[in-house]
């Protein structure tokens, strides 16, 4: 909500759309009428002739249907601009989702790193006790120190990533990059499986703003073709005047009021034929681009859907099998080391593997939600779901 409210690029596109909407009244309006006034200055002081002056007016009138077609072109272009704004809103919504999920992920990884450092501290204490009791070699203590140093390096790296993710979020909402951002939740909600891709493709073809924008541009090109053929017909200029340059004699007095019509004669047909062909080719190009865009949208939906299904399966695999097994492995290695039945390297390796898998699990959670955001962007609306039951993915 904040991104869509505050982002300056969206405000710029909204202004462009509103500017395009103002073209319609300009396109359908008549040209301003022309007023003519003329006089002979010497006649006002002459004793021989009456004061001479001329008053006139004219109005250009295009052939019937031209103004309407120009209005159709302008209105369709304004509709296309409004759909471009809607498409930009979808793109910004996706960008906000992706930025927030990255922010969530780096926080979870920082928590895992802190927990890992605490575990390594405990391992180091245990190793020192074992070494002081002459049960293990000094290498165990030194290995624990190496692992702690590596954990500190990872924490420094994640702090840099956290600052970067905060700057990315602040940029989207037009704030200074170092503005504090509230911490993300400790868990994210994952909804059920999306509807079948066949249904999603149909929804995308109906709801995608970029496709709606292209349909509006096709309407504009259709009207442009019709307008190009209207140019074979003439436009008119109606005019009238009152001419007091006529001197009031018995034969001239009735000639002062006048009425007339001008019109262009469209005899240079080849340029009009070329304009009509140009409009037809533009229409064909727009239709071909629209059909190609539908193919691209279908591919985007299918690819995004496959990635969502893949990430969902990976998340479930980590949650149900991989992480429980890794935790049991660490517990077993710790118990064996304390009982002097296992070496310290096995314990450290088990802990390192557990941390890596937990990070991958959090990456899978964030990746799943990011892929869902990409699928929503591809469909153009919030996803229709096959199953509405919700499950909470926790740390």
């Amino acid at each position: 909500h904040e991104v869509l409210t505050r982002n300056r690029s969206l405000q710029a596109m909204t202004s462009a759309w509103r500017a395009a909407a103002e073209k319609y009244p300009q396109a359908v309006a008549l040209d301003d009428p022309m007023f003519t006034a003329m006089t002979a200055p010497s006649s006002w002081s002459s004793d021989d002739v009456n004061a001479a002056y001329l008053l006139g007016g004219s109005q250009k009138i295009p052939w019937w249907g031209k103004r309407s077609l120009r209005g159709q072109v302008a209105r369709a272009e304004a509709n296309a601009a409004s759909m471009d704004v809607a498409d930009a809103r979808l793109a910004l919504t996706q960008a906000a989702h992706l930025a927030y999920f990255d922010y969530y992920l780096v926080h979870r990884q920082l928590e895992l790193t802190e927990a890992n450092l605490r575990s390594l501290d405990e391992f180091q204490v245990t190793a020192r006790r074992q070494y002081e009791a002459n049960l293990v070699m000094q290498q165990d203590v030194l290995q624990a120190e190496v692992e702690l140093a590596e954990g500190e390096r990872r924490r420094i790296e994640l702090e840099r990533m956290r600052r970067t993710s905060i700057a990315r979020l602040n940029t989207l909402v037009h704030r200074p990059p170092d503005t504090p951002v509230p911490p993300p939740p400790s868990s994210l909600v994952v909804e059920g499986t999306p509807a079948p891709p066949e249904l999603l493709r149909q929804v995308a073809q109906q709801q995608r703003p970029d496709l709606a924008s292209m349909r509006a541009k096709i309407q504009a090109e259709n009207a442009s073709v019709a307008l190009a053929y209207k140019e074979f017909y003439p436009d008119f200029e109606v005019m009238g005047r009152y001419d007091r340059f006529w001197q009031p004699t018995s034969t001239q007095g009735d000639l002062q009021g006048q009425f007339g019509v001008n019109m262009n004669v469209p005899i240079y047909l080849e340029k009009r034929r070329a304009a009509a062909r140009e409009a037809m080719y533009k229409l064909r190009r727009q239709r071909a681009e629209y059909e190609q865009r539908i193919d691209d949208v279908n591919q985007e939906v299918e690819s995004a859907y496959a990635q969502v299904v893949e990430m969902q399966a990976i998340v479930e695999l980590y949650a149900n099998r991989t992480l429980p097994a890794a935790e049991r492995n660490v517990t077993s290695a710790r118990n064996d080391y304390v009982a002097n039945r296992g070496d310290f390297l096995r314990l450290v390796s088990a802990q390192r593997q557990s941390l890596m898998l937990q990070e991958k699990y959090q990456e899978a959670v964030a990746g799943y939600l990011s892929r869902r955001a990409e699928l929503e962007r591809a469909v153009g609306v919030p996803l229709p779901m096959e199953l509405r039951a919700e499950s909470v993915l926790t740390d």
Side-chain angles (χ1 to χ4, degrees):
H1 175 78
E2 288 296 312
V3 168
L4 296 180
T5 301
R6 299 167 61 90
N7 188 270
R8 291 301 185 262
S9 62
L10 184 61
Q11 292 178 9
M13 292 195 68
T14 302
S15 296
W17 158 49
R18 290 175 177 170
E22 297 302 325
K23 290 183 179 180
Y24 176 79
Q26 302 176 59
V28 299
L30 290 170
D31 289 343
D32 291 334
M34 299 295 295
F35 174 74
T36 302
M38 185 170 61
T39 186
S42 297
S43 65
W44 293 89
S45 58
S46 173
D47 296 331
D48 300 325
V49 296
N50 294 328
Y53 62 89
L54 180 151
L55 300 175
S58 63
Q59 174 66 62
K60 291 184 178 180
I61 302 176
W63 187 266
W64 179 84
K66 286 185 178 181
R67 290 168 58 209
S68 174
L69 289 170
R70 290 169 187 161
Q72 291 179 34
V73 171
R75 180 167 289 169
E77 290 176 347
N79 290 338
S82 71
M83 291 298 102
D84 291 340
V85 172
D87 191 60
R89 290 174 64 89
L90 284 179
L92 281 172
T93 299
Q94 179 192 7
H97 278 114
L98 297 181
Y100 190 77
F101 295 146
D102 285 346
Y103 181 59
Y104 165 85
L105 176 60
V106 73
H107 266 263
R108 298 289 77 78
Q109 290 177 331
L110 274 169
E111 289 179 355
L112 290 172
T113 299
E114 295 290 347
N116 179 59
L117 288 172
R118 289 193 295 270
S119 297
L120 290 174
D121 280 331
E122 295 175 3
F123 295 168
Q124 187 181 46
V125 171
T126 302
R128 186 174 290 111
R129 288 174 182 171
Q130 297 285 76
Y131 171 68
E132 291 172 352
N134 292 323
L135 298 177
V136 298
M137 299 173 58
Q138 188 182 18
Q139 181 185 7
D140 292 359
V141 180
L142 297 177
Q143 182 65 38
E145 184 62 32
V146 170
E147 295 295 330
L148 281 168
E150 180 62 19
E152 288 291 343
R153 183 206 62 80
R154 176 61 173 162
R155 179 163 59 183
I156 293 171
E157 179 183 42
L158 290 172
E159 282 293 341
R160 185 264 304 167
M161 295 171 64
R162 186 184 68 85
R163 290 176 62 89
T164 301
S165 65
I166 289 175
R168 183 181 176 191
L169 285 171
N170 282 322
T171 299
L172 286 171
V173 294
H174 190 58
R175 297 192 304 186
D178 57 349
T179 303
V181 176
S186 59
S187 62
L188 293 175
V189 176
V190 176
E191 295 180 338
T193 305
E198 298 82 6
L199 174 61
L200 296 180
R201 289 197 297 270
Q202 294 176 11
V203 173
Q205 292 177 23
Q206 297 170 1
Q207 301 294 332
R208 287 264 303 222
D210 55 342
L211 292 178
S213 174
M214 297 186 76
R215 288 193 291 268
K217 291 176 181 177
I218 290 174
Q219 293 176 359
E221 295 297 345
N222 269 319
S224 296
V225 170
L227 183 60
Y229 280 100
K230 285 286 185 180
E231 293 299 329
F232 285 90
Y233 299 95
D235 296 329
F236 298 91
E237 182 180 13
V238 180
M239 58 184 180
R241 68 180 181 178
Y242 183 78
D243 190 348
R244 282 295 301 268
F245 276 85
W246 294 97
Q247 295 302 312
T249 65
S250 60
T251 60
Q252 294 175 333
D254 295 336
L255 301 179
Q256 293 174 346
Q258 302 167 38
F259 176 79
V261 175
N262 283 335
M263 75 172 187
N264 65 306
V265 183
I267 60 175
Y268 300 112
L269 299 181
E270 187 54 35
K271 77 171 185 178
R272 290 173 169 81
R273 293 190 184 110
R277 291 193 297 268
E278 178 187 9
M280 283 294 301
Y281 288 132
K282 288 182 177 179
L283 176 60
R284 292 177 185 176
R285 183 202 67 186
Q286 199 67 53
R287 286 175 174 169
E289 290 178 352
Y290 176 71
E291 293 172 358
Q292 180 59 51
R293 187 60 185 146
I294 288 180
D295 292 339
D296 294 340
V297 167
N298 289 336
Q299 188 272 333
E300 289 176 15
V301 171
E302 190 69 27
S303 176
Y305 180 85
Q307 293 182 41
V308 168
V309 172
E310 175 193 20
M311 295 306 298
Q312 185 177 27
I314 291 174
V315 168
E316 292 174 354
L317 180 63
Y318 274 117
N320 298 329
R321 294 182 57 186
T322 307
L323 292 185
E327 185 177 354
R328 291 194 299 269
N329 187 34
V330 172
T331 302
S332 174
R334 182 189 294 114
N335 293 337
D336 288 347
Y337 183 72
V338 172
N340 205 27
R341 294 194 303 267
D343 57 34
F344 189 74
L345 184 58
R346 174 171 172 260
L347 174 59
V348 170
S349 297
Q351 178 65 19
R352 190 186 303 134
Q353 183 185 53
S354 176
L355 174 64
M356 179 192 67
L357 293 174
Q358 290 182 67
E359 286 190 346
K360 286 185 175 296
Y361 167 70
Q362 293 297 340
E363 290 174 2
V365 172
Y368 170 80
L369 294 168
S370 297
R371 300 295 86 74
R372 276 183 56 87
E374 292 174 0
L375 181 56
E376 287 190 348
R377 173 69 178 88
V379 174
V381 293
L383 291 181
M385 306 301 294
E386 252 186 0
L387 183 65
R388 282 296 179 181
E390 295 182 352
S391 63
V392 178
L393 297 177
T394 57
D395 295 8

